[in-house]
Amino acid sequence: MRWAVAPSAPTLLVSDTGCVIRMASSRKKQNCWQTFPEKELRPTIAGSGYWAVNYKIEGTRHIAYVHRLVMEAFFGLNADRKEVNHIDGDKSNNTLSNLEWVTHSENHRHAAGAGLSAVTALNPDAVRSIKAKLRLGLTMAQIAKDHGVSVSAINHIKHGRTWAWLSS
C-alpha cells in the first residue's frame, strides 16, 4: 500500500486503496498545547452516495470525498479534467486503479453507457428516434409518453444538456 498527501488536504495521508489518516499534529489553544495523535478517519456515505471524510484544519471543519483525495494525492489536480470517474461504476471502490480524471461530458457519457444514470431509461437508438420526432415537430409531451420518460428528459435532449454527444 502506498501513501501520499493530497494538496487540498495537507493534514491527511491517503492510501492508494482509499484509506485516509489524519496526521499527528498539535496546536496552541489558550496558552496550552493540544496534541492530536495520528488517526484513521472513518468515511461516511454522503447524500450523493460517495464516501466522504470529515476533518479539521486549525479548528475549521472540512468534508472531502475519498475518491477525489486519492486522485489528488497520486496524480495532483487536473486543470482540464475536473471530475473523478469510478471506472467500474462502484462509488465505494476508491482504489487508485479504479479511478481516472475525466471531463464532465466524459463522466456523463460513461454513466449513461454503463447504466448508472437516470437517463438510462433511454438508449442511443431511442434518443435518435426522439431527436427525429423533435425535428418533425411532435410535442415533447407526446414524445415523452411514447418513450416512457419525463417531459424534462425530452427537454434536456432537445437543448443538448444530455445525449449531446450522440449524432442524429
Side-chain angles (χ1 to χ4, degrees):
M1 189 176 336
R2 296 180 301 152
W3 293 87
V5 176
S8 66
T11 61
L12 302 179
L13 277 173
V14 184
S15 78
D16 59 355
T17 61
C19 294
V20 182
I21 292 177
R22 181 194 67 209
M23 292 187 276
S25 64
S26 58
R27 68 180 174 109
K28 193 172 184 179
K29 184 177 181 180
Q30 298 176 351
N31 297 329
C32 175
W33 282 93
Q34 285 184 311
T35 303
F36 302 97
E38 186 175 275
K39 177 185 174 186
E40 183 171 353
L41 300 180
R42 277 192 238 153
T44 58
I45 300 176
S48 59
Y50 293 101
W51 288 98
V53 291
N54 296 299
Y55 63 100
K56 289 184 179 181
I57 296 178
E58 296 180 11
T60 304
R61 185 172 166 238
H62 297 273
I63 300 170
Y65 289 121
V66 174
H67 61 284
R68 288 198 63 84
L69 291 173
V70 171
M71 286 300 288
E72 289 176 18
F74 290 95
F75 290 109
L77 293 169
N78 190 313
D80 298 325
R81 294 185 153 108
K82 297 181 182 187
E83 295 188 14
V84 178
N85 179 43
H86 288 80
I87 297 167
D88 68 359
D90 180 2
K91 293 179 180 181
S92 67
N93 182 357
N94 293 310
T95 57
L96 185 60
S97 61
N98 184 51
L99 303 173
E100 62 183 346
W101 285 116
V102 293
T103 64
H104 183 70
S105 175
E106 290 168 337
N107 209 10
H108 278 275
R109 192 175 311 139
H110 174 261
L116 302 172
S117 68
V119 188
T120 57
L122 300 172
N123 59 42
D125 290 333
V127 174
R128 284 187 191 95
S129 171
I130 289 168
K131 289 182 175 187
K133 290 175 182 178
L134 286 167
R135 282 192 303 277
L136 291 172
L138 274 70
T139 66
M140 288 191 286
Q142 183 58 49
I143 297 169
K145 185 177 178 184
D146 291 347
H147 289 275
V149 296
S150 68
V151 174
S152 175
I154 302 301
N155 190 35
H156 285 297
I157 292 168
K158 179 180 181 178
H159 295 288
R161 289 188 289 272
T162 57
W163 294 94
W165 56 270
L166 183 67
S167 59
S168 298

